[in-house]
């Protein structure tokens, strides 16, 4: 991943999900190819764990959840480590996730544009990413703005 290129995004809507349903519990599985730079987004009622590389664990998962006040938020996770890496290796993974997260979120938001057309209030919902790690310095929940901010930054050049 790197700078987001909409032409390198492939979206798979997993039935019975549609661009209208579900809302709460809507799940995103974002994976990529290091070789081609292609992004792959699966949208559904469940995560598509069949596309996740169990050795790499470099996917970004996200879902629409209600917060403590009942408002929907886009809550994502990035798997830094579960104790299988040294602190320095986990640190490298954490830095890579941090560097690439804007691209990943852009892919998730851009790939589900018809959903936002039906639910425009969600354009201003907060996005939080939970970095999962056994090391406290990498175990963090960070705020990443709103879907509207990501859509406004994407320039589509028609080819």
């Amino acid at each position: 991943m790197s700078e987001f290129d909409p032409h390198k995004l492939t979206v798979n809507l997993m039935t019975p999900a549609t661009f209208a349903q579900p809302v709460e519990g809507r799940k995103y599985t974002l994976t990529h190819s290091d070789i081609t730079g292609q992004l792959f987004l699966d949208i559904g009622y469940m995560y598509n764990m069949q596309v996740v590389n169990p050795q790499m664990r470099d996917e970004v998962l996200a879902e629409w959840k209600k917060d403590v006040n009942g408002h929907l938020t886009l809550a994502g996770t990035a798997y830094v480590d579960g104790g299988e890496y040294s602190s320095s290796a986990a640190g490298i993974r954490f830095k890579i996730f941090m560097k690439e997260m804007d691209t990943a979120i852009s892919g998730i938001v851009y790939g589900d544009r018809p959903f936002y057309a039906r639910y425009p209030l969600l354009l201003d919902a907060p996005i939080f990413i939970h970095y999962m790690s056994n090391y406290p310095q990498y175990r963090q929940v960070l705020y990443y703005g709103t879907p509207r901010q990501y859509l406004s930054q994407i320039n589509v050049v028609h080819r």
Side-chain angles (χ1 to χ4, degrees):
M1 288 190 276
S2 206
E3 186 173 321
F4 178 68
D5 179 352
H7 298 101
K8 289 190 172 190
L9 176 66
T10 301
V11 178
N12 174 36
L13 195 58
M14 299 166 44
T15 56
T18 67
F19 281 115
Q21 296 295 324
V23 179
E24 185 179 356
R26 185 178 195 79
K27 292 179 175 49
Y28 303 95
T29 307
L30 185 83
T31 56
H32 70 281
S33 167
D34 285 331
I35 296 167
T36 65
Q38 188 78 17
L39 295 174
F40 305 96
L41 177 65
D42 293 288
I43 303 169
Y45 281 82
M46 299 173 53
Y47 294 119
N48 186 359
M49 297 311 285
Q50 294 177 3
V51 299
V52 171
N53 181 331
Q55 281 76 42
M56 295 290 291
R57 291 301 314 265
D58 57 359
E59 76 282 352
V60 175
L61 304 175
E63 92 174 272
W64 284 100
K65 292 182 172 183
K66 285 190 177 173
D67 65 14
V68 294
N69 298 316
H71 300 112
L72 285 170
T73 65
L74 186 56
T77 59
Y79 181 86
V80 176
D81 77 282
E84 70 273 31
Y85 296 110
S86 67
S87 178
S88 62
I92 292 168
R93 287 178 56 83
F94 178 75
K95 286 178 185 164
I96 292 169
F97 271 121
M98 293 281 292
K99 178 177 177 268
E100 302 294 348
M101 193 54 68
D102 281 339
T103 302
I105 295 171
S106 293
I108 291 169
V109 171
Y110 184 86
D112 209 9
R113 292 180 324 284
F115 176 72
Y116 295 107
R118 286 186 169 83
Y119 304 100
L121 289 176
L122 295 180
L123 285 167
D124 297 310
I127 300 169
F128 293 97
I129 302 295
H130 176 201
Y131 291 89
M132 300 183 328
S133 175
N134 276 12
Y135 300 99
Q137 65 268 36
Y138 309 125
R139 187 183 325 124
Q140 301 181 26
V141 177
L142 300 177
Y143 172 71
Y144 277 89
T146 67
R148 183 182 308 278
Q149 291 171 302
Y150 284 87
L151 287 175
S152 70
Q153 295 171 11
I154 298 169
N155 297 319
V156 180
V157 177
H158 298 286
R159 294 181 182 171

